Amino acid sequence: ITLAGTLTLPQGKGPFPAVILISGSGPQNRDEELFGHKPFLVLSDYLTRRGVSVLRFDDRGTGKSTGNFNDATTADFASDVMAALAYLKTRKEIDHGRTGLIGHSEGGMVAPMVASRSKKVAFIVLLAGPGIGMDQIVLYQIERQLKLLGKTEEQTRTEIGFRKKIFEIISSTSDSGLAARKILKAYAGLPETDKNLLAWTPEQLEGMIRAFSSQWWRFCLTYQPATTLRKVTCPVLALNGSKDTQVQADMNLEAIEKALKEGKCKSFTIKKLEGLNHLFQKCKTGDGFEYGTIEETINQEALELIGKWIDESVKN
């Protein structure tokens, strides 16, 4: 696999501190372009102007990078970041003792994986990174969606209960065909009242089974971020928006802080930013439909906090 990206260098004489940007879930280009915004372009420009080199790259199978994105897991994305680290080591403009990672969303799972493996990582910044398991995060998202759709408490409870069953089966059954048969059998065995409350068509159920049986989902449903966070020794900055509806701020930041305290990390900053969503935009509700309607790409407060924290980290 060949990864294609952009390295921005500050003006002046190096070597410069550097960061690698790690995108969130789904195939993203080097600018993490989504909903008409280019968050990584804005972030790299801001940091480079502050004297920090930035490497950002197209996800495998996206943009000018080769490979198949759909066959990859979060662990594969971590190996891609290791390759990016190895590339920076070849550049004389980079201070290899002051090179860190910034991961957004799923990238906030990847950054600790890499930092726990490589002593070359000087610091990590987690932007809306998970602290709890992906199964819990997804169930939170689904429950919120069901409430927005006007589902009753009984409908919501029934759907969350069966979704948990699907996750349990997929997590404990390595063979996808066998897992699918177990899920179909479990659904067939539900009381008619529950089936009526769910109101899933056979096509909906089969589509759900196919989606959650992918290698990416299989990895995520069994992966616990806290286990890796306990192995991180470099300084950590973890930020989340108070109105994030994808990776809910309180439960994830609390889990990240707890894991870092239990582990080997001696220096970390945990902060919830009021009024910001999953993309760190100032927002009204935090729901995904707002992302493309907001002019701001990344809130200035978040940018400044990241920049100042990196400055302090690379000085120490």
Side-chain angles (χ1 to χ4, degrees):
I1 292 172
T2 301
L3 300 172
T6 299
L7 174 65
T8 54
L9 297 167
Q11 291 184 341
K13 188 179 179 182
F16 304 104
V19 296
I20 298 168
L21 305 187
I22 313 167
S23 67
S25 56
Q28 310 282 346
N29 66 19
R30 68 194 70 185
D31 295 330
E32 202 188 33
E33 189 171 354
L34 68 177
F35 303 103
H37 291 283
K38 297 180 179 181
F40 279 6
L41 176 62
V42 172
L43 182 56
S44 63
D45 179 70
Y46 178 80
L47 291 175
T48 305
R49 291 176 189 276
R50 286 186 71 109
V52 179
S53 303
V54 180
L55 176 61
R56 63 193 198 275
F57 60 91
D58 300 330
D59 290 345
R60 56 168 67 193
T62 307
K64 293 184 179 179
S65 291
T66 66
N68 188 335
F69 183 90
N70 294 326
D71 289 342
T73 68
T74 310
D76 295 317
F77 302 141
S79 72
D80 294 344
V81 176
M82 294 291 285
L85 269 175
Y87 167 72
L88 285 183
K89 197 175 178 183
T90 69
R91 301 294 300 236
K92 65 182 185 301
E93 307 97 328
I94 303 302
D95 184 337
H96 307 301
R98 297 189 294 163
T99 297
L101 310 173
I102 299 179
H104 175 234
S105 197
E106 185 188 0
M109 277 171 59
V110 174
M113 286 173 150
V114 177
S116 68
R117 282 187 222 165
S118 174
K119 292 181 180 177
K120 297 186 183 79
V121 178
F123 59 87
I124 59 174
V125 178
L126 312 180
L127 302 177
I132 60 176
M134 187 67 83
D135 53 342
Q136 292 174 265
I137 288 173
V138 173
L139 290 172
Y140 164 80
Q141 292 173 352
I142 292 168
E143 186 171 358
R144 192 174 186 281
Q145 283 268 304
L146 293 172
K147 286 177 181 175
L148 286 173
L149 290 170
K151 300 289 185 180
T152 65
E153 280 189 28
E154 196 177 8
Q155 285 173 312
T156 301
R157 187 169 58 251
T158 302
E159 178 151 350
I160 293 298
F162 195 72
R163 294 266 190 166
K164 283 181 181 177
K165 185 67 177 176
I166 291 174
F167 293 170
E168 286 167 11
I169 291 171
I170 287 173
S171 299
S172 61
T173 312
S174 57
D175 181 88
S176 293
L178 179 57
R181 290 193 293 275
K182 284 184 176 180
I183 292 167
L184 290 171
K185 185 179 179 181
Y187 185 80
L190 287 173
E192 285 303 315
T193 51
D194 285 2
K195 288 180 189 174
N196 291 334
L197 287 167
L198 289 171
W200 289 347
T201 65
E203 291 76 21
Q204 282 177 308
L205 181 57
E206 287 169 15
M208 204 176 297
I209 292 169
R210 274 196 308 275
F212 286 115
S213 296
S214 70
Q215 290 303 309
W216 183 82
W217 269 113
R218 282 183 167 280
F219 179 90
C220 285
L221 289 175
T222 56
Y223 181 75
Q224 292 300 322
T227 304
T228 302
L229 285 163
R230 291 187 195 103
K231 299 175 185 175
V232 173
T233 57
C234 66
V236 178
L237 171 64
L239 302 178
N240 211 322
S242 67
K243 292 190 176 181
D244 190 332
T245 60
Q246 290 183 244
V247 179
Q248 198 271 342
D250 292 333
M251 66 174 78
N252 284 282
L253 289 178
E254 286 168 11
I256 290 169
E257 183 172 15
K258 182 173 183 289
L260 292 173
K261 281 180 177 176
E262 291 171 348
K264 302 174 182 179
C265 186
K266 294 177 181 177
S267 174
F268 56 87
T269 301
I270 313 288
K271 190 170 179 65
K272 180 170 70 172
L273 301 178
E274 289 301 321
L276 302 189
N277 63 18
H278 188 63
L279 301 186
F280 292 86
Q281 301 167 303
K282 205 69 155 174
C283 64
K284 291 180 181 177
T285 69
D287 288 312
F289 68 82
E290 276 188 325
Y291 297 163
T293 67
I294 300 171
E295 185 177 350
E296 179 178 73
T297 296
I298 303 180
N299 184 258
Q300 189 67 23
E301 180 189 353
L303 286 172
E304 289 175 3
L305 205 161
I306 295 164
K308 287 176 183 175
W309 186 87
I310 290 175
D311 288 347
E312 290 300 316
S313 295
V314 298
K315 283 176 188 173
N316 296 333

